[in-house]
Amino acid sequence: MTDTTTAADYAWLSEQYEDLMEAYCITLVEGLTPEELLHALGAESGPRIAGVAGLCEPSYAVGGHDQLFVGVASLGNWSLMIEYNGYLGVTDEAMLAVSRGRTVVSHFCNVNAVDHFCWYQDGASRLHFEPLFAYHRDGTHPDELLTAMRESGFDLSDADDRDFDAHSEAAFALAHRITGIRLTPDLFASAEFVCGLAPVPRR
């Protein structure tokens, strides 16, 4: 991992996508097309929407708690899945299976400041932590990325006065370092998403 991305490189998110940053889930999946990823999640391909902002309204229009609206865009050999107010990308029951034979990196935060960062690899959880509490980690390789985490902007201390600023932006930076996929304002504005309703797996 040679990328030097930091939380500061993703400051534009809170400025341009405030509604997304209030409750989001971002997932990067290697080696699957958007249609293949939707199929793996049990969702049928539906409408196409250009730009991340267009995903907001249909996401909140979904009724009930058994389905989540997801939008998936192709980024070369990766697929980017974005959920407003969703959490499928950090749900082990869904993503462990998707990660068999590939890498999946996802991160999530909701309106109650509950957050998760997940690095799945070949059917296993390689790294999981809560960005607000990055000093506590689990997974098969919980300490593999300590340097990258610090450089991305995470405070790994457990002190009460540790730095909480930009922890969500740091999650974007760390995902970039792992996958090599840089998310930019231009990409968010122009990407075409294949959308669908994915069932929420039973825990």
Side-chain angles (χ1 to χ4, degrees), residues 145-160:
L145 298 184
L146 294 183
T147 298
M149 289 176 69
R150 291 190 187 95
E151 292 177 351
S152 294
F154 290 108
D155 186 338
L156 302 185
S157 74
D158 61 357
D160 291 339

Side-chain angles (χ1 to χ4, degrees), residues 40-56:
L41 295 173
E44 293 186 9
S45 300
R48 293 178 179 266
I49 294 176
V52 169
L55 303 175
C56 182

